[in-house]
Amino acid sequence: MPQDLGTIFYFDWELKFLHFLQSIHNPILDSIMLFFTNSGNIIMILILISIVYPKTRRIGIQMYLALFISILIVNCGMKPFITRCRPCWLEPGVKMLIELPQSYSFPSGHSSTFFAMATAVFLSNKRFGIPTLAVASIVAFSRLYLFAHWPTDVMGGIFTGVLSGVLSFLIIDALINIFRKKVKDK
């Protein structure tokens, strides 16, 4: 746990909800939530594979850009500025199934990055986008189940993630249009 807990702010309903989730822990749910919360490496491999293949290259590039934008907004901008205390820092007696997070809580980086990538996919391909959004939702929920974030952290992460995904789509779309115009003008 960091020396500085940061700003301690939460709504009563958030702590009650997190305690409810602690009451439903069981080995099966624990395994599922740990799998999803730790699936970042698998996602990075999928992004790299999608960039290699021409049919999925645009989606892969959009996902990578969305991930980059999300990290900039959340980890470089909001977390160090807002400095919100995590629930697991406030209640160190809760048994953690993951390593104790060291960064501040708001917004949830996992929720933001997964929703950024899922939004980028959804805007390009609804068929792949819907299951990708479902995975992002499970990852976001896992952060609550694992007592790493407040519900409003996850909501903030979803918002910044969707924003990052939309921005990546618009940036790549604009670059493609500029490139097509230059090719057409030649």
Side-chain angles (χ1 to χ4, degrees):
M1 177 174 5
Q3 294 287 348
D4 174 26
L5 292 180
T7 306
I8 299 174
F9 173 79
Y10 60 91
F11 297 101
D12 286 339
W13 67 266
E14 291 185 283
L15 190 57
K16 287 177 184 174
F17 181 68
L18 292 178
H19 283 162
F20 165 74
L21 292 178
Q22 290 300 300
S23 75
I24 64 168
H25 272 246
N26 64 66
I28 294 171
L29 275 177
D30 291 354
S31 296
I32 292 168
M33 295 302 141
L34 286 169
F35 172 79
F36 279 98
T37 212
N38 293 320
S39 61
N41 291 337
I42 296 167
I43 300 301
M44 290 308 296
I45 291 167
L46 291 175
I47 291 172
L48 292 173
I49 291 170
S50 68
I51 291 173
V52 171
Y53 292 101
K55 286 185 176 182
T56 58
R57 185 168 292 143
R58 177 183 174 151
I59 292 173
I61 292 170
Q62 279 177 201
M63 288 174 66
Y64 185 77
L65 181 58
L67 175 66
F68 180 73
I69 292 169
S70 170
I71 289 169
L72 280 178
I73 292 171
V74 172
N75 293 8
C76 299
M78 296 178 77
K79 280 190 181 200
F81 179 73
I82 297 170
T83 68
R84 188 178 193 191
C85 178
R86 289 180 180 267
C88 53
W89 297 352
L90 194 61
E91 293 194 7
V94 172
K95 181 183 176 211
M96 295 297 289
L97 300 176
I98 58 172
E99 189 175 315
L100 192 66
Q102 296 300 307
S103 65
Y104 290 111
S105 191
F106 185 87
S108 165
H110 278 75
S111 301
S112 182
T113 55
F114 275 84
F115 267 90
M117 294 183 291
T119 300
V121 173
F122 182 79
L123 293 173
S124 290
N125 185 313
K126 307 287 186 276
R127 190 180 78 198
F128 293 136
I130 291 171
T132 308
L133 286 167
V135 168
S137 298
I138 297 169
V139 169
F141 180 77
S142 77
R143 304 309 288 166
L144 301 171
Y145 181 87
L146 296 169
F147 210 68
H149 282 287
W150 304 101
T152 49
D153 296 341
V154 168
M155 288 182 232
I158 292 169
F159 177 80
T160 58
V162 170
L163 175 65
S164 300
V166 169
L167 287 173
S168 77
F169 177 82
L170 294 174
I171 290 168
I172 298 301
D173 200 46
L175 291 173
I176 288 171
N177 288 333
I178 290 168
F179 178 74
R180 283 184 182 151
K181 187 173 190 260
K182 286 190 185 238
V183 169
K184 185 179 173 185
D185 290 345
K186 284 187 177 183

